[in-house]
Amino acid sequence: MDELEHKFEVEVKEAEKSQKLGDEIKAELKASGMMDDKGKLKLKGVSPKMLKRMKQEYVNCPVLKSDVGFIQCFVCPNFQSRVMGKVLCKGAPLKK
């Protein structure tokens, strides 16, 4: 099997509390249909149990150079895959 092209392998870390999503991220999720009007996440193929776990995880983003919640990372265009506690990231600059 060919390996996905990626620039960074970022370790997924677990936090004590759920990571809060910023207003900008929420607006982006609503626009793409991944969040309903009430603010509830609707990620296709992700169980409620896994979603709860994902909310408590974060990564040290090499593109944004800061810690971001895993859900923000998951919906990022640079997200390739998550394998054994690591995220494969394309590392391309993000457009604002």
Side-chain angles (χ1 to χ4, degrees):
M1 189 166 109
D2 293 333
E3 194 168 320
L4 292 170
E5 278 190 44
H6 63 280
K7 198 173 189 179
F8 300 105
E9 265 189 41
V10 187
E11 191 173 336
V12 179
K13 300 172 186 158
E14 195 147 337
E16 299 270 325
K17 292 187 198 174
S18 291
Q19 301 291 305
K20 300 290 181 203
L21 294 173
D23 293 333
E24 194 175 297
I25 304 303
K26 285 182 181 179
E28 200 174 300
L29 287 168
K30 284 180 184 175
S32 63
M34 293 184 195
M35 182 179 273
D36 64 14
D37 293 333
K38 295 178 183 175
K40 188 165 174 122
L41 284 166
K42 301 280 185 191
L43 299 177
K44 197 172 189 174
V46 178
S47 71
K49 185 178 178 182
M50 184 62 185
L51 192 59
K52 183 180 180 194
R53 198 169 126 212
M54 286 167 64
K55 285 180 181 179
Q56 291 183 321
E57 295 173 330
Y58 69 96
V59 295
N60 188 350
C61 180
V63 178
L64 299 174
K65 308 246 187 293
S66 66
D67 288 344
V68 297
F70 179 72
I71 293 183
Q72 182 179 349
C73 177
F74 184 71
V75 297
C76 175
N78 282 324
F79 179 84
Q80 282 288 106
S81 179
R82 177 179 173 159
V83 183
M84 296 174 59
K86 294 191 187 308
V87 170
L88 304 182
C89 176
K90 292 180 191 174
L94 296 172
K95 299 172 195 90
K96 282 278 173 181

